[in-house]
Amino acid sequence: MKNRSGVPPLPMLIECFASYLRDLTGKRSVDELLVALEANGLYLERDLLQARGDGLTRYLPAPESAGIWSGRRCWLGWYPPDTGEASAGDLWFDPVEISLMVLIPQTQEDLAELAELPPRFLARHTPFVGWVAVRQMAVWQAMGCALVAGRDLRVDTEAGLPHAAVAGVPPALAWDIALFLGKATCDPDYWEAAHEALSAEELAGMWPEDAPEHAGEVNSGFWIVVGRDDVLAGTPWDNDLGDNFPSLDASYPAPGVRFRTAVSSQLGITDPEEDDEPGAVIDRRRAAMTEGGRTR
C-alpha cells in the first residue's frame, strides 16, 4: 500500500525500531517495539528485550527462542561484560542493535603467540577476538539506523519481509551503519577463530543461507567479501591484503551481499566523542547512566 505521494510507507517494525533508537530507555518506545517484534515472529529479540525490562545488568540462560544457543550464559547490559569475567562462547544481548552476539576466543596459534609476549604487551590483549552477531543484520535494523543517522539507505521494503537479512548495501555504508552502533562489520579474523571454536552446527546456524558478507576494508577504497563456504571450511586469514577473498569498491551496491556486526575485545564499543554530530553514533553513555532502572 502506498500513500498519496506514491512513496510506500515504512513497515511498522522499522518505524518502531527508529523510535526506539531515538529514546532507548522510554517505556512507550520499548513496548511498541516489543509488539512489532512479536508481530514479525522475532521471538528471540522480543524475549531478550523483554528480559531487559527492569534495566538490570546480569547473566541469565538464553531463552528457548535462541535455538542452538538456548541455555547458554547470556549477559544483559548496554555494554559487553568485562572480558575478565567472560568465557568463550558466552552470549551478549545488545539492547541497542537488538542483537544477540557470541564471544569468540583467539585461535590456539594466536594464544600461543600471545603467551610469549612480555607482560606489558599482554596487558593490552585479551584471550578473545571479540563478539560476533549470531544473525546477519536485517532490513528493519539497517533501515532504522539509517533513518536515525540521516543516511540514504535504499531498500525495497515491499519486495521482501522487513525481518529478512538486508542485502545490496554498499560496503562503506554497511561499515557506517555498524559504526553508528559503536561496532564494525565482521572480518575474517573473527571467522577463522569462530571456525576453530564453534561447532559446524553453530556456524551453519549463524550463516544459514549461501550468501556472501561484507568483511571490512582491505585497501583504501576496497572492501573484502567472505563467502559461507570459506567460513565453514575455515579458510585462513593469513595476510593483510586479503588475497584469499574477493573485494569490492566502497560504493558498489553489492547485489546479494549481506553483513553483520562485530565488537573487538581489544577495542570494545566505540562511544561518540563530545564534538561528534548528533546522530553520528548511538550514545550509550546516556543509556548506561540508567543501568539499574529506567529513566521514565
Side-chain angles (χ1 to χ4, degrees):
M1 180 177 179
K2 296 185 178 181
N3 57 28
R4 293 181 180 178
S5 68
V7 178
L10 289 171
M12 180 182 297
L13 179 56
I14 295 174
E15 293 278 21
C16 287
F17 182 50
S19 295
Y20 171 80
L21 288 175
R22 296 185 183 103
D23 186 17
L24 291 171
T25 58
K27 184 178 186 305
R28 179 176 177 178
S29 61
V30 172
D31 290 346
E32 289 178 347
L33 181 56
L34 284 169
V35 171
L37 290 170
E38 180 166 5
N40 284 271
L42 296 169
Y43 303 121
L44 170 60
E45 289 80 0
R46 176 207 61 188
D47 292 344
L48 290 170
L49 182 59
Q50 204 162 37
R52 277 279 302 165
D54 57 12
L56 299 175
T57 57
R58 64 190 185 280
Y59 281 105
L60 53 68
E64 290 186 10
S65 53
I68 57 175
W69 311 105
S70 176
R72 192 172 293 202
R73 193 168 75 149
C74 179
W75 174 254
L76 300 182
W78 291 111
Y79 292 85
D82 187 279
T83 54
E85 302 172 357
S87 301
D90 277 357
L91 302 173
W92 167 50
F93 171 61
D94 175 12
V96 177
E97 185 184 351
I98 313 295
S99 174
L100 186 64
M101 309 191 81
V102 60
L103 183 58
I104 306 298
Q106 302 268 12
T107 63
Q108 292 301 313
E109 180 181 355
D110 287 342
L111 286 174
E113 291 179 1
L114 286 176
E116 297 177 358
L117 293 176
R120 67 180 184 278
F121 291 107
L122 284 176
R124 286 183 266 170
H125 291 273
T126 78
F128 310 107
V129 179
W131 300 86
V132 174
V134 303
R135 291 183 180 175
Q136 295 160 330
M137 180 163 283
V139 171
W140 64 273
Q141 292 167 309
M143 288 286 290
C145 291
L147 281 174
V148 176
R151 297 303 303 272
D152 184 18
L153 175 61
R154 302 188 181 189
V155 174
D156 186 356
T157 55
E158 289 193 326
L161 299 172
H163 56 267
V166 68
V169 179
L173 180 53
W175 176 269
D176 286 348
I177 291 172
L179 183 62
F180 173 78
L181 296 162
K183 303 179 178 183
T185 51
C186 187
D187 66 38
D189 277 326
Y190 294 94
W191 289 121
E192 183 180 359
H195 179 269
E196 182 177 296
L198 302 177
S199 69
E201 180 186 16
E202 289 165 341
L203 283 172
M206 293 176 72
W207 208 317
E209 298 177 50
D210 187 15
E213 290 187 9
H214 292 305
E217 190 173 20
V218 63
N219 280 321
S220 179
F222 290 93
W223 301 67
I224 57 174
V225 174
V226 172
R228 184 177 189 269
D229 288 345
D230 289 317
V231 168
L232 298 184
T235 301
W237 175 243
D238 54 10
N239 61 70
D240 293 333
L241 298 178
D243 291 340
N244 290 334
F245 305 95
S247 60
L248 297 170
D249 182 85
S251 60
Y252 183 64
V257 181
R258 306 173 180 183
F259 69 99
R260 76 181 74 219
T261 60
V263 177
S264 166
S265 291
Q266 276 67 48
L267 301 177
I269 292 289
T270 304
D271 272 324
E273 300 294 336
E274 293 295 340
D275 58 353
D276 279 344
E277 291 294 324
V281 67
I282 288 295
D283 190 345
R284 292 173 187 249
R285 292 170 300 182
R286 176 178 69 84
M289 289 192 297
T290 69
E291 294 282 19
R294 295 196 178 281
T295 57
R296 57 176 76 86

